[in-house]
Amino acid sequence: MDSKFLLSFQKYSISLLPIFLITGPALSDLSISLTGLAFIFSNYKKIFKLIKKNYFLLFFIIFYFYILTLSFVSENIFLSLENSLFYFRYFFFILSVNYVYKNSTNFIKLFFISFLFAFVLLILDSYFQFFYGYNILGYKYDGIRLSSFFNDEKILGSYLSRLLPIFLGICVYLFGKFKYKMIAVI
């Protein structure tokens, strides 16, 4: 396949991840897996060189084999392997994010726009749900916790609080002074 197409696919797949997380686990897991596969296809010759240069990646591989070993010695092997066996896809996803960051000109801006869209959409929908008793999709407000598009899962606060530091880091990187950009990259 064409390397420009694979880079473009990886860029948009990663950038849309905050929106995919709202829809549920299927699209986000598919995006992570396909992004990792696209990275493997476009950079299969460079993977071992990248691992040798980066101690974090080497640590990740050691950690993966550690949790895999723990899964094999657990009481319920199949239940434990269900969570740990395909953990390696995050390794290739991390490599893909790094590759896209270094080789794409507008990746960070696109990622920022995706985050901003997801946050604004969720917050506006939550206000709508709070004031009218239901959101724009018709999910009812139970009077205790807002759910927005997450409906019965009630993970709106978790979604916002876990992704807000990443969003703020991107904001500092894009709009802060140069010294703040260096802090965000480190």
Side-chain angles (χ1 to χ4, degrees), residues 6 10 32-48 50 88-93 95-96 99:
L6 289 175
Q10 291 174 67
I32 289 171
S33 299
L34 290 178
T35 302
L37 284 174
F39 174 79
I40 292 171
F41 286 133
S42 62
N43 296 299
Y44 62 91
K45 295 179 183 178
K46 300 176 187 176
I47 291 174
F48 292 111
L50 291 171
F88 67 89
R89 67 190 167 147
Y90 296 111
F91 173 75
F92 293 109
F93 179 72
L95 288 174
S96 179
Y99 175 73

Side-chain angles (χ1 to χ4, degrees), residues 59-98:
F59 175 75
F60 188 92
I61 292 171
I62 292 169
F63 177 73
Y64 173 69
F65 283 113
Y66 172 71
I67 62 172
L68 202 60
T69 304
L70 289 179
S71 294
F72 281 117
V73 296
S74 70
E75 291 179 17
N76 192 344
I77 295 173
F78 295 113
L79 181 65
S80 184
L81 280 176
E82 181 181 328
N83 293 326
S84 62
L85 186 60
F86 295 105
Y87 197 72
F88 67 89
R89 67 190 167 147
Y90 296 111
F91 173 75
F92 293 109
F93 179 72
I94 291 168
L95 288 174
S96 179
V97 170
N98 186 31

Side-chain angles (χ1 to χ4, degrees), residues 14-29:
I14 295 167
S15 297
L16 291 173
L17 194 58
I19 297 167
F20 290 159
L21 287 170
I22 294 172
T23 64
L27 284 179
S28 57
D29 286 348

